[in-house]
Amino acid sequence: MGKRRLVLALALSAAMIVTAGAILWPDGSGSSGPGSDGGGGESRVAVAPARGTSAARELEATPGVHLSLAYSPGDGKPQTLVELTVTSDGIASGTLQMPITGQAAVAWSGDQLYVKGDNDFWAQQGPHYGHDLSSAGHWVAPVKQSGYHMLDAFGVNAGSLTPKALASIVREVTADPTVVAEDAGTMYGREATSYVAKERTVVIADEAPHTVFVVGINPADASPVTTAAWRAAPDRQPVSMTYRVPSDDGDDDRFYNPYLMAKPTPAPDKETAAARAAAEEAKANAKPPLTSAEKVSVSQGPVFHTTSDTPDQCSSDPCSYAFTVTNNGDQPGEAILHLTFPGIEERVHPLGTIAPGQSKQVSGSRPNIAKGTGSTIRHTDYSWVFSTALYGPDPDVGRRLHARELEPGDVFVATPLMPSVANILDQMTKDLPADDTADNQKAVNALIKANNRGLLPALMTIAASGRLQNFGELADSLGGTNVIGGVRVLQQVAHLLKTDPTARVWFDGGYKAGDGKTYKTDYIFTSTLDGHELKRAVQVKTITSWKKLWVRIGEAVEQLNGEHKLSKTPGERGREQAPPDFERVVQINLELSDGDAGYLKNRKGLEDVLKHKGYAQARKKFCKQDGSIGLERLVITNSTGTYEWTDFKSLNVDCPGSPNSPSTS
């Protein structure tokens, strides 16, 4: 496959974005002030056990439950949205949706997970990460492996999410003596309270019937709900207890487990019957996944292997040559053999379609470069096979990569993904000198790491658009995706390029403005909306703690304006600043986190916090050093949706250097 060396690799559209992974639940009005419980905190705690008992009784009485879930696996991996039906006896079926692209049907029966996902879904799953796509398109029964979840996208025992198990968690949280109660505003038109204890959150209606609106847990520590991880021994912790440090909360000295947020509703008998039928179908048709790396490498498309049949020595002129190309894969593929000999132009030999197991030979002659020298000259011949199955439809992509001694196989992905990988590698390197081996290898290494983080589908989406304007900087920019904040920025860029056909994006900098200077923010884009040009520079902050909101807003405003007064150093890649005449946008992504009320607030609830009189001083974070307003748009994304503000007077923002500044309240 590829070349061989022979002697003789919530989205911003034209408006704004919903961060990939946000789960949308209808909501009404919000809570009363920051960290407030409406003045009834003690009474809320006092009635918590009774409300919890009533809510749990209602929940466990249902024969099945429909769950709308958001699952954050931690370790910077993409968040998954799940729709799942679970029966009272632990039979489950539903769908998984990955950010940007990739989806799967899932079922659980008899402590076994069954999955039927598409290529993009499997490309994001460890330990696969695109190595094995042979599972795509049919039911498979993943094998429990030491050190891995059954499935990274949803490391939860789906069958353990029964109505009885969820009811047990509701009872435990509301009866815990350390429980903290907070006003959750209204959900579905009803006043509700959030109860938090030991990394578990439940939101319950205040008035009878005490419906459970939300259950939030760390599945690695939420018995009777369990993880889907292999366990080495009964007394050991499950392997799935990985931890992550969000990029923007790194100084918080806290670590975050995987987290699951669920919205339960009773499932009708017809739905539970369908779940049972789906699980039976999956069990009857599932195949085991390939576990041998050797089998994986030859089971997903054509795999071309080239051998030289040329004699070791030649004393005649011209010299003859012969090469054999064999397809060791399991699918036919069209192949073109490219040969490079010293002193002559490249020879191209179309081979047509080569079936699995079939070989084709080419032969010819070339000048003897030792003629007239009276000595023996050793030389290197190069061969490589171009196939649309490996490089895509454009032969120039293969030529450019070959000239750099790169090939898509360098990134260790399955054959179906190689054309997309070739396109990404080509765009990352085509403007570099061909002999720049250091940057060539840097591009390969960056892509390998991104693939290992499950980010390949997002990069495929970006490359396919052809509208990322600074692809040459991508190898450096991908360094930030080792933390969740960087992942979210990449996902938002991919979503923007996928949904807005007019968007042109600069990811992590590289925008050259009319003043001759180069500017960078997390991403900069131009687009059109209703015939008008949009020019926006976005600074993104991803937080799991609502307490970090004002600090991160302040840092984003500093960066958009090139001030960096709190963070003294501009960072390894230079100072950030929005280009002149661009709308300055601060986006705050509120991530899944135990008990953090901000994740559940709707627009009204968020506004109540943003404009509360207790935060008058904190709202100075909206201002530049000279006292003028430091942004034109604020965006906050959480579980209930994506919300924007451009009228900061409505939030009681007081920047004294700005015209018509309101008084604080």
Side-chain angles (χ1 to χ4, degrees):
M1 177 171 56
K3 63 181 183 298
R4 288 178 55 84
R5 189 174 186 177
L6 305 170
V7 177
L8 180 138
L10 206 21
L12 275 175
S13 61
M16 289 304 289
I17 192 171
V18 174
T19 296
I23 183 168
L24 302 179
W25 296 327
D27 204 356
S29 63
S31 65
S32 47
S36 168
D37 61 6
E42 293 182 2
S43 61
R44 291 179 191 275
V45 170
V47 301
R51 287 184 182 177
T53 298
S54 175
R57 188 183 301 118
E58 177 188 353
L59 182 58
E60 67 186 353
T62 61
V65 63
H66 181 94
L67 299 172
S68 295
L69 307 114
Y71 176 70
S72 179
D75 199 27
K77 296 170 184 173
Q79 190 179 97
T80 308
L81 299 185
V82 186
E83 294 294 328
L84 194 68
T85 301
V86 186
T87 68
S88 58
D89 56 345
I91 304 297
S93 74
T95 58
L96 305 181
Q97 183 69 48
M98 304 300 293
I100 313 304
T101 183
Q103 58 186 351
V106 294
W108 188 283
S109 178
D111 201 34
Q112 174 63 56
L113 174 68
Y114 303 97
V115 185
K116 182 166 66 174
D118 59 21
N119 275 3
D120 286 350
F121 175 83
W122 283 112
Q124 298 175 71
Q125 308 311 313
H128 302 276
Y129 292 122
H131 303 291
D132 178 14
L133 297 181
S134 62
S135 297
H138 58 263
W139 285 106
V140 296
V143 178
K144 294 182 181 181
Q145 301 183 56
S146 174
Y148 293 105
H149 301 173
M150 279 178 155
L151 190 69
D152 272 5
F154 193 58
V156 184
N157 179 330
S160 71
L161 293 167
T162 62
K164 184 176 181 180
L166 296 174
S168 174
I169 292 171
V170 171
R171 283 194 180 94
E172 289 183 11
V173 170
T174 53
D176 194 295
T178 66
V179 68
V180 175
E182 182 174 326
D183 181 7
T186 62
M187 287 193 168
Y188 303 94
R190 302 178 64 192
E191 296 293 327
T193 297
S194 170
Y195 301 95
V196 183
K198 297 176 182 176
E199 293 192 358
R200 306 179 192 187
T201 302
V202 295
V203 180
I204 302 173
D206 290 345
E207 302 296 333
H210 298 296
T211 304
V212 177
F213 291 131
V214 177
V215 177
I217 56 173
N218 165 15
D221 185 26
S223 179
V225 173
T226 60
T227 69
W230 176 91
R231 293 169 182 257
D235 60 340
R236 295 188 185 180
Q237 292 288 347
V239 176
S240 64
M241 285 190 68
T242 57
Y243 298 88
R244 65 186 171 96
V245 181
S247 64
D248 301 316
D249 283 353
D251 62 353
D252 202 31
D253 293 326
R254 294 189 301 166
F255 292 85
Y256 295 87
N257 293 319
Y259 209 74
L260 178 73
M261 193 76 80
K263 169 68 181 78
T265 54
D269 291 343
K270 184 177 181 180
E271 185 175 333
T272 57
R276 294 181 186 278
E280 286 299 316
E281 177 195 354
K283 182 177 180 180
N285 294 292
K287 303 175 183 179
L290 295 176
T291 56
S292 164
E294 183 178 354
K295 290 180 180 179
V296 166
S297 67
V298 298
S299 66
Q300 302 170 82
V303 179
F304 299 110
H305 181 76
T306 305
T307 57
S308 174
D309 306 314
T310 304
D312 291 340
Q313 294 185 351
C314 173
S315 57
S316 62
D317 186 34
C319 296
S320 62
Y321 65 83
F323 291 84
T324 299
V325 178
T326 303
N327 182 357
N328 292 326
D330 68 345
Q331 296 179 26
E334 186 177 359
I336 301 173
L337 179 64
H338 293 252
L339 299 173
T340 303
F341 304 116
I344 62 174
E345 293 183 358
E346 182 182 64
R347 300 279 178 88
V348 179
H349 293 271
L351 303 178
T353 299
I354 305 179
Q358 181 184 4
S359 298
K360 289 191 177 182
Q361 188 179 63
V362 299
S363 59
S365 61
R366 45 83 181 277
N368 189 334
I369 60 173
K371 181 180 179 180
T373 65
S375 61
T376 299
I377 297 179
R378 295 183 62 82
H379 60 87
T380 301
D381 300 335
Y382 292 93
S383 71
W384 67 284
V385 174
F386 173 80
S387 174
T388 56
L390 306 179
Y391 293 95
D394 186 356
D396 288 338
V397 171
R399 291 182 186 277
R400 286 191 292 266
L401 292 180
H402 171 65
R404 299 175 182 281
E405 298 191 14
L406 297 176
E407 58 179 296
D410 292 340
V411 185
F412 313 116
V413 296
T415 302
L417 297 179
M418 285 191 181
S420 294
V421 170
N423 183 27
I424 298 170
L425 271 177
D426 181 53
Q427 292 195 52
M428 291 175 74
T429 60
K430 66 182 181 180
D431 293 329
L432 299 172
D435 59 353
D436 188 346
T437 56
D439 279 341
N440 289 339
Q441 190 58 48
K442 183 168 71 172
V444 172
N445 293 342
L447 199 50
I448 289 173
K449 291 178 181 178
N451 182 36
N452 290 341
R453 296 166 189 152
L455 302 177
L456 191 58
L459 290 172
M460 290 161 52
T461 298
I462 291 170
S465 76
R467 287 177 281 112
L468 182 66
Q469 304 300 300
N470 62 328
F471 236 111
E473 296 181 294
L474 187 60
D476 290 321
S477 300
L478 287 175
T481 59
N482 64 329
V483 287
I484 194 67
V487 171
R488 293 293 175 256
V489 176
L490 181 70
Q491 290 171 348
Q492 288 169 214
V493 168
H495 187 276
L496 171 57
L497 289 170
K498 180 180 179 180
T499 57
D500 183 352
T502 66
R504 298 168 68 239
V505 181
W506 289 259
F507 172 38
D508 195 25
Y511 179 85
K512 293 184 178 180
D515 61 5
K517 298 180 181 179
T518 299
Y519 294 84
K520 72 183 293 287
T521 63
D522 283 338
Y523 63 101
I524 295 168
F525 76 97
T526 62
S527 182
T528 56
L529 178 64
D530 298 330
H532 299 287
E533 183 182 26
L534 291 180
K535 298 167 66 177
R536 290 178 178 164
V538 186
Q539 203 66 33
V540 183
K541 296 298 178 183
T542 298
I543 60 176
T544 58
S545 173
W546 181 244
K547 299 174 183 177
K548 292 291 184 180
L549 174 67
W550 297 106
V551 174
R552 303 312 176 205
I553 288 177
E555 291 178 352
V557 169
E558 292 171 20
Q559 291 167 331
L560 285 171
N561 294 284
E563 294 184 344
H564 300 78
K565 59 181 181 290
L566 295 180
S567 51
K568 299 296 184 183
T569 58
E572 292 182 3
R573 300 195 60 210
R575 187 173 296 276
E576 293 172 295
Q577 186 173 1
D581 301 322
F582 270 65
E583 182 180 17
R584 297 163 296 178
V585 182
V586 172
Q587 173 148 350
I588 303 294
N589 298 327
L590 291 170
E591 289 285 297
L592 282 170
S593 174
D594 60 290
D596 202 54
Y599 188 73
L600 302 173
K601 293 183 184 294
N602 69 336
R603 183 184 185 91
K604 176 63 164 55
L606 293 170
E607 284 185 348
D608 285 345
V609 173
L610 290 169
K611 67 183 182 182
H612 191 272
K613 63 182 180 181
Y615 288 136
Q617 186 62 34
R619 284 191 291 274
K620 299 295 184 182
K621 300 288 187 181
F622 285 76
C623 310
K624 295 172 56 178
Q625 288 180 348
D626 65 5
S628 62
I629 191 72
L631 71 163
E632 281 74 46
R633 187 178 299 266
L634 172 68
V635 182
I636 298 181
T637 297
N638 64 3
S639 66
T640 68
T642 294
Y643 307 101
E644 306 175 38
W645 292 269
T646 56
D647 177 12
F648 300 121
K649 291 187 292 183
S650 67
L651 300 178
N652 294 331
V653 172
D654 180 17
C655 290
S658 299
N660 302 319
S661 177
S663 299
T664 55
S665 60

